[in-house]
Structure formats: C-alpha cells, structure tokens
C-alpha cells in the first residue's frame, strides 16, 4: 500500500482549512437546532446510556414520533463538544473541519490502491474542495457523514490486508473490519454498505475475477465438472464471514428501531405516497438529478422537500430522458469494468461501487426516506465520482498533446470549486442567510418560505415573517404547518380573530379518521399541535374555557400518547380551578415520559394549589434530580422552603437560590430572595449585599428597597435607611409602609416632626381610612403639644376603628392630660418637648414594619414545548407569582390585618417561629406601654 507523505497530509489539511475556515463563524442552523440546541442527550446531567436508547435527535426510539436515526457515536461527539464548550458553535464547526481533513487523508490512501501517485492526489484534492460537501462539513449534523466515512474507509483499508502472501486468510484485519463497520453504522446507517464494497473488491480486484470468468466458474461447479478451486473457497469463506456480520448488524438495527419504520408525510417526500408509476418514475429521476449535482454543484439548496422537484407523472415527461441517459451510462461503465481485468477496469469498478452502494439506502428505491434529495448523503458517493474524474485526468494527461490542457482544466476545476465552497459556507452563517439562499434556487418549496419566516420570527420581525408564512400557504395551500405559522404570527401581532381563522383552516386540513386505521400513522405528530395552539388561543377568553378543553380532549382521543395535550390540558384545568383533574392529566403525561423535568415541576405547582407543600417539594426535587439546573424548579422549591419557616431548610434554599442566580445572573428576584434568607438568619452583611445587587439589576425594585431600609432600621442604622426610603418613594410614592417607616425615623432619630407629619398626611390623602397613618399623625399632634387637635384626631381614628382598644385608651390619656392642664391653667398647645419618643412603634403591632417580599413573574407551570410551530423555542408558562402567592406583585408582603389572612398562602408554623411571634408581640406591647407613658407624662 502506497504511503501518504507528510507533505501531502499538510497540503490536504491546509486546503481544507482554507476552504472552510469561515465556517467557524457560522451558528447552529436548520437541523442543528434539533440535534444540538434541543437535544437533552448532550447535557452532562443526562445518563450516558440514553445515547444508546434515543435517536439522533434525542427522542426515545420506542416513540412513534422518533426519526429512527440511530447514531449514538455521533451524538457522543456532540456531547464531548458540549463538555468542553457547551453551546459555542465554533468548537463544533472546528471539529467538523478536522474530521473532513482526516477523511481526505484516508481517501488519498484509498486512491493509492487504484491510481498512480499524481492522479490519486488529484482525486483527494477534488474531494477536499467539492462544494457538495458544505452541507456535510459546515452543517454540524453532517458530522454523521464525516464519522461514518472515516470508519468506512478505515474498514475497507483494513480489509485489504486480509490476504496473506501465500493467498491465505489473515483473520485479524477481518475482525478489525467488522468492528470498524459496526462503528461506521453507529455513526450513520449507510456505514454498513462498506461490506458490499469489500465483497466487490474481494471478488473482482483481489481475486481478479471478471464477470464472464466468475459465471463460468460457478456453472462448472454447479454441473459437477469441477470442484471449487482453493482460491475460490478462501474467497467464499471470507464473504460468508462478511455477510453473516452484515446480517447480525441488520438484525440488531431492526431490533433497535423495534421493527418500525419512521413516519413521514407527503410534505417530506411527496413521491413516497404517490401511486404507481408516478412513484417509480420520480424516484428513478432523482438518480440523474443527484449525479448532476456532483457534476455541476452551482445551485445548491439546503432543502429539497415538498414542491422542489415536481413529480414525474407520465412516461412522456421529458425528464425520463435524463433517467434513461443515466442508466445507459452507468450500464456501459459497469459492463466495461466487469468484462475486463486490467487495472483501468478495476479502478472504474471500485469507483462505481463507491458511487452506487453507499447511496442505495438514501435512494428511495427500496424503502422511502424522509427527504427527496439531500446533498450531505452524496458525501461518500462523491468519492467514487472524484476517482472517476482523476482516472479520466490520468488517461487524458498521458496524451502528450492534451497534457497541458488537462492540467489547466483540473487546475481551473479545483480553483472554482474551492471558491464556490468558501462562498457557500457564508450561506450557512444563520438560518436567515441559509433559507434565503435556498429561495434563490427554488421558490416552489413552502418549507423554505416557512423557515425564512421562522428566522424573522426569532428576530421579532413579525410583520415581515407573516408575509413569508402567507407566501408559504400560497405555494402549498394544503400545508398544515404553514397555516399554523400564520396563526401563531397573527397571535404575536395581537390579532386574535385572524389567528383563530388561520388555525381553523389548518384544522380543516387534518386528515379525517378512517375506521380501523391508526390515525397516528397518517399525520405528522407536530400537526396535531394545531389543536393545542387553537385551544391556547381561545382559552384567553374565560367564557371559552370549556371549548378549549374540548379541543385538548379531541387531540388526546386522536392520539392517546400525545403528551403535550395532557400538559396543556393540565394548565387549563388548573385555571378552571379543577386541581384534581389537572393532577390526573399530569400523572398521565408522566406515565408517557417520567424523565421530563417540566412535568414534575407542573405537578408540584398543582400540589401548591391543593395546599400540599410537602408533596410539592417532593415533586420539585424529582424535577431537579432529572435536571439539577431546572431554573424554575430551583427558584420555586427554594421559595417554598423559605416560606415554610423551617430553619433546617435554609441552607438548601440558599444553595438553590445561589444555583439559580448562576443560571439567571440578571434576574433581581434571585438576589432579593437570597437577601431575605440572610435576613431570616440575621446575617445582615450578606443580606445588605444581596439587596444591593437586586436593586442594581432592577431599578426601583420596590420590595428590595423597602427591606433594605428595614434592615438598616433594625440594625440601628436608621440614617442609612433614609436615602433608601427616598429612592423607594421616588419610584413608588404610594408605598404606605415606606412612608410609615420614614415617618418613624424622622420622628425618632431626626426629631423632624414636620417631615413625619408630611409622611403621615400623604398616607391619609391616599387612604383617609388608614388607621395606622391616622393614629401616628395623632401622636405627631401630641408631640407638638396640640392637644385639642390630637383629641379630634384620635376621635376620628376611633370612629374608623371602634374596636381598637389602644386608640380608645390613648384618647382617654389625652383627655385626662387636657383636663389636668386646664385645672393648672396651662395652655393646651405648648411648644413640643424635646426627646419625646416616636409614636410610629404602634406600626409594629399592626405589621407595618414586617418584611416585604416580592416576586415579579417568577415560578410557573412549565408546558414543555407546546407546539406553536418550528419557530417556538420557549416553553409556555403559567404565572405562579401573583395568582399562586396571592399578593399582587409581592411574595409574602405583610399587609393590614384584614388582608393578610385573606391573601397569603397558609403556612405551617414551626415551634421556633411561634416563639418568635410571641417575642414580637411582647415587644410591641412594651412599645405600646411606652407610647402610653409619653401620652400620660408631663
């Protein structure tokens, strides 16, 4: 075997890098989104064994919606990429470029078996720069082709060493070949075809048979005129081993897919569902079309489905001439190579083997596949094409008068292909550039119009996206997905009526149920999301909740394993105040997918609604066992622990909030709750730090500002609290407790009765019935020694709160004081006495200085992947903050006595918490006595 020199390796690698270096700036596009961004199998938290249980896209092989593409070794390399760089696309593209370089070097070694040194290098150079490879190299999912090709070539090269010097069998290379074939198959299914290539090589190259000689030998044996020659027996033994190995791999592969073929629709492959002879004519026409892409890769397209290639509906269609020409040329080449034994015939035969055999699984001739044409599946067949071109170049260049022109032509070919490849890479920079470039080639594919619309939708350019979606419905009026996209976009534009109309059109296009025929086998699973989307739209109207529920139940009746229908119905039932039925819906969904963290999270939300905090925490923990970085489960489970009041939960709640802020470093709510936990633990320095960070991230964060001021007040840093309260009241001028606290500090520490009076008067202007503000204003009047006004004020307060004994008692004290001063002949409105204690301490008794917590939109019931179309990347969530916690925009804000019991969720109190409450009550009574002493003193 000719050795590849280091100079040749460097030349090929340099050429590959030169053609593909710009691919490093490309993102994840098209199928990369499903295979990389949405594939949980890449995440370290997913058990490694899942790679061997799920398909290429992360869907369990047992599920009907699975694509049945079993490529665990390819997914393993994606996982390694994720381990080193998570979702940095450059590292994925860099590895693809490196793998393509390896394939080029191995292909050069393959060529050296059949071509001379120069022409084999020409073949490898052409392969390195061919534009047809951009989809396989620049598209990250094309790694399946790259890895499979590496093992395919390595398996073939290993097999060529299986013949000993004395024509004996060397078994070690055969064993290595079988292992490498298995590896190639685990990277992509077409890897198994290398066995057939090895068989062709063994019979027609290694043993030197031609087809006439082989047939004559077999006839002699069958007639009993002669026994098998020893060389033939050796060949048969090797072929039997290869064939048995192939059968074993096929059996294992069939077992993996559980004897089920994937479900494809007529939109994926229109010819597959067409009648005879349209199906056969179209599929045979695809062969010359693929050959033309190898010959002239000037108009490349990332998607050839739907209406890209019109069906060949008649034998009189002129395109059948291309089919006849292709088969004629292929037959002539095969006939020439099989009838002769010279080296040129062997070269052509091996080139044809590389072109034909690896392409058979994707040809649609024996079983339908999920595409019409895919450029990436031409990666291995292009090797045979490059061998043919190089072989022709060798023949022409050996003619003296054509040598220079042949070199000129091959130079121009390599240069133009390299430039084309480099420019084609830019098309893969983003989804928008990729699909707009495809529309330049083909405007009859509704999927391309849809995908450009999705790209614009991701940029929030809904108006422009709508135009593309509407064009998709015009190109393919029966495209259910296109009408769903129109509906979703109208919804994003707040045009509910138009959105509903579009969804109803999509619903009307759904196939009708045929008695005795399984519905799921005739429709794409994602098309059933039209029921989910329509129900999600109309359930925003509370009067149509039952109608929405009917749609969910209709989807479930069509497909009892439709997990998303159960998830969405669970959310609706929760909204309809039917928590028991919601729980049943989520439990049914968990029966279908117990490894879905969002489902466990949703079930926990139902438990909260049912006042089952311990069950809720248990289900939050289930979600976190599956996905330890599930952001909503981290936040809301920590919040539940915090609300329980159990000191033993504080360390774990703190750890979960810390993990949450690592995941969401810009969310002020996480830092705020860390501050609240620190306040509960009397860790004032940490509490101040977290509150400051929350305020920095969210200007005017009401609860963070108030609790920071409260922290300063409790830490005897009242003067530090004043600037914080000023900022709070600048953003929230009607914040009652902030005004009360500020008035307290102004009275007690700044001796500013006028400032305190302004605070309390502002409260009464907003709410004349506020007992706290009214009472504290009365005490300000008393501090100013305006006893008549204090008396009138307390009388008004008593009228507002006739059952408040302390107000009645204070009124009695003021009247006694006034009577005593009248007897003594003293004026009833003397100058205020210095050093008087603050009256605002009564607020503690009323709850005005309790902690205020706020949750702004956090928490929620996750509905993992409600099918609003391909462009929908985020889960639909039901708000858990205001409704579930009952405090408007706060988590556990201490409200007036009459409101707190009504709005706050019931909590179980620990013994220590009860003791703390008693201590606070005793402190409040002590302060009350102090006020009474002030009121009754001189």
């Amino acid at each position: 075997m000719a050795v590849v020199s280091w100079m040749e390796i460097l030349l090929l690698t340099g050429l590959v890098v030169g053609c593909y270096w710009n691919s490093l700036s490309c993102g994840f596009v098209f199928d990369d989104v499903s295979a990389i961004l949405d594939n949980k199998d890449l995440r370290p938290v997913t058990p490694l064994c899942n790679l061997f249980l799920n398909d290429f896209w992360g869907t369990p092989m047992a599920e009907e919606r699975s694509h049945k593409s079993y490529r665990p070794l390819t997914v393993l390399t994606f996982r390694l990429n994720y381990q080193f760089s998570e979702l940095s696309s450059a590292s994925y593209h860099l590895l693809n470029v490196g793998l393509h370089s390896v394939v080029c070097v191995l292909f050069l070694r393959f060529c050296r078996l059949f071509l001379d040194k120069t022409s084999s290098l020409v073949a490898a150079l052409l392969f390195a720069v061919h534009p047809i490879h951009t989809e396989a190299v620049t598209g990250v999912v094309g790694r399946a082709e790259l890895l499979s090709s590496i093992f395919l070539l390595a398996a073939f090269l290993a097999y060529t060493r299986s013949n000993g010097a004395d024509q004996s069998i060397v078994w070690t290379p055969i064993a290595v070949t079988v292992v490498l074939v298995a590896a190639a198959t685990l990277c992509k299914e077409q890897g198994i075809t290398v066995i057939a290539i090895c068989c062709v090589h063994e019979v027609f190259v290694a043993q030197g048979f031609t087809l006439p000689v082989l047939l004559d030998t077999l006839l002699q044996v069958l007639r009993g005129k002669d026994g098998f020659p020893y060389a033939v027996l050796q060949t048969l033994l090797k072929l039997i081993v290869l064939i048995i190995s192939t059968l074993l791999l096929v059996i294992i592969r069939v077992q993996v897919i559980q004897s089920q073929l994937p479900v494809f629709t007529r939109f994926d492959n229109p010819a597959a569902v067409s009648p005879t002879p349209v199906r056969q004519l179209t599929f045979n026409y695809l062969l010359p079309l693929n050959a033309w892409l190898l010959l002239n890769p000037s108009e490349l397209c990332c998607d050839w489905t739907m209406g890209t290639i019109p069906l060949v509906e008649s034998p009189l269609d002129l395109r059948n001439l291309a089919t006849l020409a292709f088969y004629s040329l292929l037959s002539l080449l095969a006939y020439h190579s099989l009838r002769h034994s010279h080296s040129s015939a062997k070269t052509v035969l091996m080139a044809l083997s590389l072109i034909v055999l690896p392409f058979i699984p994707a040809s649609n001739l024996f079983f339908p596949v999920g595409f019409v044409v895919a450029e990436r599946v031409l990666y291995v067949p292009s090797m045979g094409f490059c061998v043919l071109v190089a072989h022709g170049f060798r023949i022409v260049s050996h003619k003296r008068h054509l040598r220079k022109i042949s070199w000129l032509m091959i130079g121009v070919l390599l240069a133009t292909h390299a430039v084309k490849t480099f420019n084609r890479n830019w098309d893969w920079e983003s989804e928008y550039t990729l699909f707009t470039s495809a529309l330049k080639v083909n405007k009859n594919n509704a999927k391309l119009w849809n995908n450009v619309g999705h790209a614009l939708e991701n940029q929030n350019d809904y108006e422009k996206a709508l135009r593309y979606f509407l064009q998709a419905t015009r190109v393919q009026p029966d495209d259910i997905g296109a009408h769903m996209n129109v509906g979703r976009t109208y919804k994003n534009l707040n045009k509910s009526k138009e959105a509903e109309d579009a969804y109803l059109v999509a619903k009307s296009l759904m196939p009708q149920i045929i008695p005795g025929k399984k519905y799921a086998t005739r429709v794409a699973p994602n098309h059933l999301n039209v029921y989910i989307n329509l129900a999600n739209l109309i359930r925003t109207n509370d009067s149509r909740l039952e109608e929405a529920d009917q749609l969910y139940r209709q989807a479930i009746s069509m497909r009892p394993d439709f997990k998303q229908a159960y998830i969405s119905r669970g959310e609706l039932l929760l909204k309809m105040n039917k928590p028991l039925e919601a729980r049943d819906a989520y439990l049914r969904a968990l029966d279908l997918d117990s490894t879905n963290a969002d489902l466990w999270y949703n079930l926990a939300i139902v438990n909260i609604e049912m006042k089952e905090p311990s069950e809720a925490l248990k289900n939050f923990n289930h979600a976190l066992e599956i996905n330890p970085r599930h952001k909503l489960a981290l936040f809301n489970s920590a919040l539940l622990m915090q609300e329980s009041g159990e000191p033993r939960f504080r360390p774990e709640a703190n750890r979960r909030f810390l993990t949450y802020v690592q995941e969401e470093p810009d969310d002020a709510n996480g830092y705020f709750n860390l501050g609240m936990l620190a306040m509960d633990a009397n860790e004032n320095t940490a509490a101040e730090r977290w509150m400051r960070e929350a305020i920095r991230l969210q200007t005017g964060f009401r609860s963070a500002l108030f609790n920071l001021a409260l922290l300063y007040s409790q830490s005897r840093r009242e003067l530090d609290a004043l600037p914080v309260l000023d900022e709070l009241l600048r953003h929230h001028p009607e914040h009652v407790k902030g005004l009360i606290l500020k008035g307290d500090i102004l009275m007690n520490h700044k001796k500013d009765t006028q400032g305190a009076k302004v605070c309390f008067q502002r409260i009464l202007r907003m709410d004349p019935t506020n007992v706290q503000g009214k009472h504290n204003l009365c005490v300000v009047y008393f501090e100013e020694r305006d006893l008549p006004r204090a008396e009138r004020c307390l009388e008004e307060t008593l009228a507002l709160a006739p059952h408040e004994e302390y107000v009645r008692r204070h009124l009695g004290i003021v009247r006694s004081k006034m009577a005593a001063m009248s007897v003594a002949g003293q004026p009833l409105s003397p100058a205020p006495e210095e050093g008087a204690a603050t009256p605002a301490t009564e607020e503690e008794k009323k709850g005005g200085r309790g902690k205020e917590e706020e949750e702004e939109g956090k928490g929620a019931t996750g509905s993992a992947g409600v099918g609003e179309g391909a462009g929908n990347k985020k889960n639909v969530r039901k708000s858990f903050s205001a409704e579930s916690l009952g405090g408007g925009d706060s988590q556990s804000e201490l409200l007036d006595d009459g409101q707190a019991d009504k709005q706050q969720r019931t909590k179980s109190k620990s013994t220590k918490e009860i003791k703390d409450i008693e201590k606070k009550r005793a402190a409040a009574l002590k302060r009350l006595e102090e006020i009474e002493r002030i009121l009754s003193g001189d």
Side-chain angles (χ1 to χ4, degrees):
M1 183 183 295
V3 177
V4 177
S5 69
W6 282 107
M7 288 297 294
E8 290 170 326
I9 293 174
L10 291 175
L11 175 62
L12 286 171
T13 303
L15 189 59
V16 168
V17 171
C19 287
Y20 286 99
W21 70 264
N22 58 337
S23 70
L24 301 185
S25 63
C26 298
F28 294 114
V29 297
F30 204 16
D31 290 339
D32 297 347
V33 175
S34 299
I36 308 297
L37 299 182
D38 299 339
N39 193 345
K40 295 179 181 178
D41 287 347
L42 271 63
R43 279 50 174 179
V45 296
T46 304
L48 202 60
C49 62
N50 280 24
L51 273 64
F52 297 89
L53 300 175
N54 299 339
D55 67 12
F56 187 53
W57 317 98
T59 306
M61 295 292 290
E63 291 193 14
E64 183 271 333
R65 64 189 178 94
S66 169
H67 198 273
K68 310 301 181 187
S69 304
Y70 189 65
R71 304 164 189 172
L73 293 187
T74 303
V75 179
L76 180 61
T77 65
F78 292 153
R79 184 163 174 145
L80 292 174
N81 266 122
Y82 188 91
Q83 189 74 31
F84 286 107
S85 63
E86 294 194 349
L87 295 177
S88 171
S89 61
S91 72
Y92 293 78
H93 290 295
L94 180 62
L95 183 53
N96 273 23
V97 173
L99 292 173
H100 182 51
S101 300
V102 174
V103 175
C104 292
V105 173
L106 289 173
F107 178 57
L108 178 57
R109 295 198 66 175
F110 173 90
C111 293
R112 287 282 157 84
L113 298 173
F114 312 105
L115 297 168
D116 60 31
K117 186 174 182 179
T118 300
S119 55
S120 60
L121 182 59
V122 167
L125 292 173
L126 179 59
F127 180 81
V129 302
H130 202 296
I132 203 71
H133 299 155
T134 50
E135 183 171 340
V137 181
T138 309
V140 177
V141 295
R143 187 177 299 177
E145 267 74 25
L146 304 176
L147 289 169
S148 180
S149 298
I150 288 173
F151 289 117
L152 182 148
L153 291 170
F156 180 83
L157 293 172
Y159 183 79
T160 58
R161 297 173 179 269
S162 63
N163 288 323
D166 55 352
Q167 296 300 312
S168 61
I169 300 175
V170 183
W171 289 106
T172 300
I174 294 178
V176 172
T177 298
V178 172
V179 172
L180 291 172
V181 170
T185 307
L186 291 175
C187 293
K188 190 171 182 183
E189 298 77 6
Q190 70 181 28
I192 200 171
T193 59
V194 69
I195 294 288
I197 298 173
C198 291
C199 291
V200 171
H201 178 270
E202 178 64 31
V203 174
F204 296 104
V205 178
Q207 301 302 327
F209 283 106
T210 61
L211 187 59
V213 173
L214 180 63
L215 293 175
D216 184 62
T217 302
L218 291 175
L219 285 174
Q220 294 294 335
V221 172
L222 290 174
R223 290 171 181 169
K225 294 183 179 181
D226 197 2
F228 277 105
Y230 179 73
V232 175
L233 286 174
Q234 293 279 76
T235 301
L236 281 175
L237 184 57
K238 292 169 72 174
L239 294 180
I240 288 170
V241 171
L242 291 177
I243 292 170
I244 290 175
S245 301
T246 304
L247 290 175
L248 286 174
L249 288 173
V250 170
I251 291 170
I252 293 171
R253 183 71 174 82
V254 171
Q255 288 297 316
V256 166
I257 66 173
Q258 301 184 355
S259 303
Q260 295 178 348
L261 287 175
V263 176
F264 300 118
T265 70
R266 60 189 177 88
F267 299 110
D268 298 317
N269 192 344
V273 295
S274 299
T276 302
V278 175
R279 181 172 65 255
Q280 289 77 13
L281 290 174
T282 303
F283 283 155
N284 280 282
Y285 169 68
L286 296 180
L287 302 180
L289 180 62
N290 279 280
W292 178 249
L293 289 175
L294 290 174
L295 280 168
N296 180 31
S298 59
E299 292 189 344
L300 300 179
C301 181
C302 63
D303 193 297
W304 295 80
T305 56
M306 303 188 85
T308 303
I309 302 171
L311 298 174
V312 181
E313 298 181 315
S314 167
L316 300 179
D317 193 312
L318 292 178
R319 289 176 293 173
N320 290 318
L321 295 177
T323 305
L324 289 174
F326 173 79
Y327 276 113
S328 299
L329 179 61
L330 189 66
S331 300
L332 285 173
L333 289 173
Y335 178 80
H336 166 79
S337 59
L338 289 172
R339 283 191 62 83
H340 300 92
S341 59
H342 50 74
S343 61
S344 176
K346 292 178 181 178
T347 300
V348 172
L349 181 61
M350 291 310 300
L352 292 177
S353 299
L354 271 178
I355 292 173
V356 174
L357 296 175
F359 186 73
I360 287 176
S363 66
N364 281 291
L365 295 177
F366 299 99
F367 49 84
V369 294
F371 53 84
V372 180
V373 173
E375 293 163 11
R376 62 177 176 269
V377 303
L378 293 174
Y379 190 78
V380 175
S382 68
M383 295 179 186
F385 170 78
C386 292
V387 170
L388 284 179
V389 172
H391 182 52
F393 165 76
R394 181 179 66 174
I395 294 172
V396 173
S397 63
H398 283 175
K399 300 182 184 298
R400 182 170 301 178
H401 62 287
L402 295 175
R403 180 177 300 174
K404 290 183 179 180
I405 194 170
S406 64
W407 276 104
L408 177 62
M409 291 178 65
I410 203 69
V412 170
L413 181 65
L414 291 175
T416 54
H417 274 26
V419 172
K420 173 66 178 176
T421 297
F422 185 83
N423 290 332
R424 174 63 174 159
N425 289 332
W426 291 121
D427 291 341
W428 289 80
E429 185 175 15
S430 67
E431 294 207 321
Y432 181 77
T433 57
L434 179 64
F435 297 125
T436 50
S437 71
L439 281 176
K440 295 174 184 177
V441 176
N442 169 41
K443 291 181 170 58
N444 296 321
N445 186 339
K447 190 174 179 181
L448 294 176
W449 293 99
N450 279 320
N451 284 332
V452 175
H454 289 313
L456 292 167
E457 189 179 35
N458 291 336
Q459 300 170 14
N460 297 323
D461 191 350
Y462 298 121
E463 291 285 356
K464 194 173 180 182
L466 180 61
R467 292 200 293 271
Y468 280 88
F469 290 141
L470 288 171
Q471 179 62 24
T473 63
R474 287 189 283 268
V475 171
Q476 188 90 34
D478 59 348
D479 182 7
I480 297 172
H483 291 285
M484 290 169 63
N485 292 334
V486 170
R488 185 184 62 256
T489 309
Y490 274 130
K491 182 182 177 183
N492 290 332
L493 291 170
N494 296 318
K495 297 181 179 180
S496 299
K497 179 63 172 64
E498 292 85 348
E500 184 173 349
D501 291 342
Y503 284 140
L504 288 173
V505 172
K507 182 172 174 285
S508 69
L509 293 171
M510 295 288 286
Q512 300 302 310
I513 296 177
I514 299 174
K517 183 156 186 175
K518 187 179 178 184
Y519 188 87
T521 61
R522 300 186 302 108
V523 66
N526 62 310
H527 284 171
L528 282 173
N529 281 322
V530 66
Y531 293 94
I532 307 300
N533 296 348
L534 181 57
N536 290 343
L537 176 68
I538 66 177
R539 75 189 230 187
T540 57
N541 184 343
D542 288 345
S543 65
R544 302 180 70 184
L545 297 183
E546 289 293 343
E547 186 181 347
D549 190 34
Q550 176 63 32
L551 286 167
Y552 291 137
R553 284 186 277 123
Q554 187 176 355
I556 291 170
S557 68
M558 291 177 176
R559 190 182 180 87
D561 63 344
F562 191 19
K563 178 179 64 181
Q564 190 54 59
Y566 292 104
I567 294 172
S568 298
R569 185 165 186 253
E571 292 180 356
L572 177 66
L573 291 168
L574 208 54
K575 184 176 182 179
M576 297 170 71
N577 198 25
K578 297 179 179 180
L580 286 175
E581 294 181 47
R583 182 178 64 182
D584 292 341
Y586 287 134
L587 288 174
R588 177 69 180 107
L590 281 168
D591 288 340
L592 299 171
D593 184 7
S594 61
T595 61
N596 189 315
D598 285 329
L599 284 175
W600 288 107
Y601 174 81
N602 290 358
L603 188 58
I605 299 302
V606 176
N607 294 136
I608 289 174
E609 292 293 324
M610 297 176 67
K611 303 295 189 280
E612 297 174 346
S614 59
E615 284 297 311
L617 187 57
K618 189 184 302 181
N619 289 323
F620 278 138
N621 290 339
H622 273 305
L624 291 171
E625 285 172 9
I626 297 168
N627 180 7
R629 306 191 84 81
H630 191 289
K631 291 181 281 192
L632 292 170
L634 283 167
F635 186 95
N636 286 296
S637 62
L639 189 62
L640 194 62
M641 292 177 177
Q642 181 183 8
E643 290 179 341
S644 72
E646 293 283 351
R648 61 190 175 93
F649 284 145
R650 284 179 191 162
E652 179 61 17
N654 192 72
R655 185 193 68 79
R656 293 187 184 187
F657 278 132
L658 285 171
T659 306
Y660 176 80
V661 297
Q662 289 174 4
E663 295 293 307
E664 291 285 346
D666 296 327
D667 185 2
N669 293 281
Y671 299 99
F672 168 74
N673 281 281
L674 282 167
M676 297 303 295
L677 276 173
M679 287 181 71
D680 289 340
N682 295 319
E683 298 173 357
N684 293 345
T685 303
E688 180 183 0
R689 184 175 74 253
W690 294 126
M691 292 296 182
R692 285 287 182 189
E693 181 63 16
I695 295 165
R696 183 187 69 81
L697 290 170
Q698 183 176 322
T699 304
F701 194 158
R702 191 189 72 173
S703 295
L705 287 165
F706 177 79
N707 281 285
L708 179 59
L710 185 62
L711 174 67
Y712 287 147
S713 177
Q714 292 173 343
S715 305
R716 301 183 182 278
R717 297 170 58 188
E718 288 84 355
L719 298 183
D720 290 337
L722 282 176
V724 179
L725 288 169
D726 288 339
E727 183 179 353
L728 169 67
L729 294 171
R730 186 169 64 253
H731 291 284
H732 307 282
E734 299 181 357
H735 196 283
V736 173
K737 286 190 288 295
L739 288 166
I740 288 177
L741 181 57
K742 182 178 179 181
D744 178 21
I745 294 173
L746 290 173
M747 281 283 294
N748 200 36
H749 299 279
K750 296 283 287 185
K751 311 305 181 186
D752 182 1
T753 56
Q754 285 302 315
K757 184 192 294 186
V758 169
C759 291
F760 300 137
Q761 286 174 340
R762 280 176 61 183
I763 294 172
L764 294 175
R765 280 197 298 271
M766 293 183 289
D767 180 12
T769 63
N770 187 289
V771 176
Q772 292 172 257
K774 188 75 171 176
H775 175 266
N776 286 357
L777 182 61
C778 300
V779 179
V780 170
Y781 294 148
F782 183 84
E783 287 286 307
E784 294 177 341
R785 293 299 185 259
D786 190 349
L787 297 185
R789 196 169 185 182
E791 180 187 23
R792 289 194 303 273
C793 181
L794 285 168
E795 287 172 348
E796 293 170 1
T797 306
L798 188 60
L800 292 173
H803 302 295
E804 293 291 355
E805 186 59 35
Y806 74 94
V807 179
R808 191 182 304 278
R809 193 161 57 248
H810 292 174
L811 178 58
I813 293 171
V814 170
R815 285 174 175 171
S816 298
K817 183 72 172 177
M818 290 174 66
M821 292 178 69
S822 295
V823 171
Q826 297 176 354
L828 297 182
S829 300
E833 184 178 318
E834 291 187 3
T838 176
T841 52
E842 176 58 24
E843 171 197 8
E844 289 187 354
K845 178 175 182 294
K846 301 298 294 180
R849 292 184 64 177
K851 290 181 187 176
E852 175 182 353
E853 301 177 19
E854 180 167 336
E855 174 182 344
E856 301 193 355
K858 294 311 297 181
T861 53
S863 56
V866 172
E868 283 274 3
N872 187 27
K873 300 290 191 302
K874 295 183 181 179
N875 294 340
V876 177
R877 304 291 185 190
K878 168 185 171 293
S879 175
F880 174 46
S881 57
E883 293 178 7
S884 299
L885 295 176
D889 61 352
S890 65
Q891 292 172 354
S892 57
E893 183 176 349
L894 292 177
L895 305 172
D896 292 346
D897 293 341
Q899 295 176 323
D901 292 339
K902 182 177 179 181
Q903 293 193 355
Q904 284 190 303
R905 191 188 314 149
T906 303
K907 304 178 189 175
S908 58
K909 304 289 185 182
S910 65
T911 303
K912 184 177 184 304
E913 189 177 4
I914 292 171
K915 289 180 179 178
D916 289 342
I917 292 171
E918 292 298 333
K919 287 179 181 178
K920 290 177 181 178
R921 187 174 297 163
L925 290 173
K926 185 176 180 182
R927 296 296 298 275
L928 180 61
E929 291 171 359
E930 184 180 352
I931 291 174
E932 292 176 348
R933 180 182 58 78
I934 293 168
L935 290 170
S936 59
D938 293 330

